[in-house]
Amino acid sequence: MSDKALRPSPISPTVDFDSEGVQHGFLRLPYSRDDSAWGSVMIPITVIRNGSGPTALLTGGNHGDEYEGPIALFDLARSLRAEDVSGTVIVVPAMNYPAFVAGTRTSPIDSGNLNRSFPGRPDGTVTQKIADYFQRELLPRADIVLDFHSGGRTLDFLPFCAAHILPDKDQEARAFELVEAFSAPYSMRMLEIDAVGMYDTAAEEMGKVFITTELGGGGTATAKSAGIAKHGVMNVLRHTGIVAGGAEAGQTTWLDMPDGNCFSFAEEGGLIEPIFDLGDEVREGAVVARIYPTGRTGAPPIEIRAKMDGILCARHFPGLVKAGDCVAVIAVIVA
């Protein structure tokens, strides 16, 4: 179905994207439910606009249990002044607002994973309607897109900013330039294991310069991880000239996820024993985790082995693992 054949989005913004100054408002999505027949999902949004210049779309809460992005963006929305901006900054601290309020990865309304729901539908579920609005209304306005992520409740990551390998090498180079400007402790040339329906893919297919992060995990933020997010978003705005001043560069270690051998998955569930900590050097064939059967004592653990040399950049977080869960991710240091 072409865009022309699609219904208009049911979402109504209470801000004017073309007006100068600072506006705080909502993306209002009608949602009729048992406790509010004419209710709405109210997604907070801030627009800061001053004259001509690039447009940055800054998003967090794509998954509702990831907190560094919302912390950085709620703070930015209250503190960034129009006179400090040349261009436009659109700030949505919690894209999947129902999931964010519930503290869950997916929406409690429809179980929708927003980051697997693009391009969305204007007549679909609540999550699909949110995706459709970003696809048709917000992404086309943007020149650059920064979408914050961390590991949520089920993964823990080294703190990195990332971009993807792309067919358009100019677009790819501009994205990695922004990754470097973000200046996280680690910078990643990232491989996605499931790119279908992703916000990343939607932005990149429009030719937007897209970067993302993984800044920790475990369903919480730390002082360090929140600080990386706040520092990084200002670096990106300065590097693009939207905010005056140069980016405050720090030391970053470049990592690469070259292929599917980076990932290790559990084939059976049980109690997981990590053998390495994040950032540890791992050799191919090394046991990265053991999974103990929990139905009885005396049973030998299942050993999960690394398929390549590198460092441990992500691990399963909860103490119990299910069959099919990602247990460990290995990345290669390239610089």
Side-chain angles (χ1 to χ4, degrees):
M1 185 181 293
S2 69
D3 280 357
K4 291 182 180 179
L6 288 174
R7 298 180 182 183
S9 171
I11 291 178
S12 302
T14 67
V15 295
D16 181 350
F17 294 102
D18 298 319
S19 291
E20 300 283 308
V22 177
Q23 302 172 75
H24 303 293
F26 300 94
L27 304 176
R28 188 181 69 82
L29 169 58
Y31 171 48
S32 180
R33 56 191 190 270
D34 288 341
D35 64 346
S36 185
W38 284 5
S40 302
V41 174
M42 304 290 281
I43 304 170
I45 185 171
T46 292
V47 180
I48 303 133
R49 182 178 175 89
N50 184 26
S52 61
T55 294
L57 176 57
L58 310 175
T59 53
N62 195 329
H63 294 132
D65 60 349
E66 303 173 4
Y67 297 107
E68 287 82 1
I71 289 170
L73 296 181
F74 274 112
D75 182 65
L76 183 74
R78 72 172 180 84
S79 59
L80 188 61
R81 302 176 303 172
E83 56 264 37
D84 296 329
V85 168
S86 297
T88 304
V89 181
I90 302 172
V91 185
V92 186
M95 290 174 71
N96 193 344
Y97 193 70
F100 174 73
V101 172
T104 54
R105 180 176 177 85
T106 61
S107 175
I109 296 173
D110 55 20
S111 299
N113 182 339
L114 181 58
N115 210 31
R116 301 296 185 275
S117 297
F118 284 81
R121 292 178 59 94
D123 57 354
T125 66
V126 165
T127 303
Q128 289 172 330
K129 289 172 180 176
I130 296 171
D132 170 73
Y133 188 82
F134 274 82
Q135 178 85 30
R136 290 197 289 153
E137 301 295 337
L138 293 186
L139 282 175
R141 294 179 176 274
D143 297 297
I144 66 164
V145 183
L146 166 55
D147 185 37
F148 281 100
H149 285 266
S150 65
R153 292 189 294 179
T154 65
L155 289 169
D156 194 15
F157 285 89
L158 288 177
F160 64 76
C161 186
H164 299 112
I165 307 300
L166 299 173
D168 184 329
K169 294 306 175 184
D170 178 65
Q171 181 186 10
E172 175 188 301
R174 287 183 290 140
F176 282 118
E177 184 179 307
L178 280 189
V179 170
E180 187 164 14
F182 187 99
S183 197
Y186 293 88
S187 298
M188 179 74 77
R189 297 168 63 87
M190 197 168 186
L191 171 70
E192 289 288 357
I193 59 174
D194 179 18
V196 176
M198 293 187 73
Y199 182 45
D200 314 29
T201 305
E204 289 162 351
E205 287 180 347
M206 289 185 191
K208 308 302 180 181
V209 178
F210 181 93
I211 64 172
T212 188
T213 69
E214 297 289 357
L215 294 178
T220 189
T222 66
K224 180 178 180 180
S225 65
I228 292 168
K230 293 168 75 170
H231 183 262
V233 69
M234 286 305 300
N235 270 351
V236 167
L237 293 176
R238 291 187 181 110
H239 183 80
T240 55
I242 296 173
V243 171
E248 297 178 1
Q251 185 175 1
T252 190
T253 299
W254 279 89
L255 303 174
D256 188 17
M257 296 167 63
D259 56 45
N261 285 332
C262 298
F263 301 94
S264 296
F265 296 91
E267 296 185 358
E268 296 185 36
L271 172 69
I272 187 167
E273 176 193 3
I275 306 302
F276 293 92
D277 288 324
L278 292 177
D280 285 351
E281 184 177 348
V282 178
R283 307 297 294 179
E284 181 179 354
V287 176
V288 294
R290 297 188 183 96
I291 301 174
Y292 291 86
T294 57
R296 58 175 296 167
T297 58
I302 299 162
E303 295 183 335
I304 307 295
R305 295 183 179 273
K307 302 172 187 175
M308 58 184 289
D309 294 344
I311 66 169
L312 187 69
C313 71
R315 68 178 184 95
H316 188 267
F317 190 79
L320 297 178
V321 65
K322 296 178 181 178
D325 285 350
C326 182
V327 169
V329 183
I330 307 297
V332 178
I333 295 177
V334 294

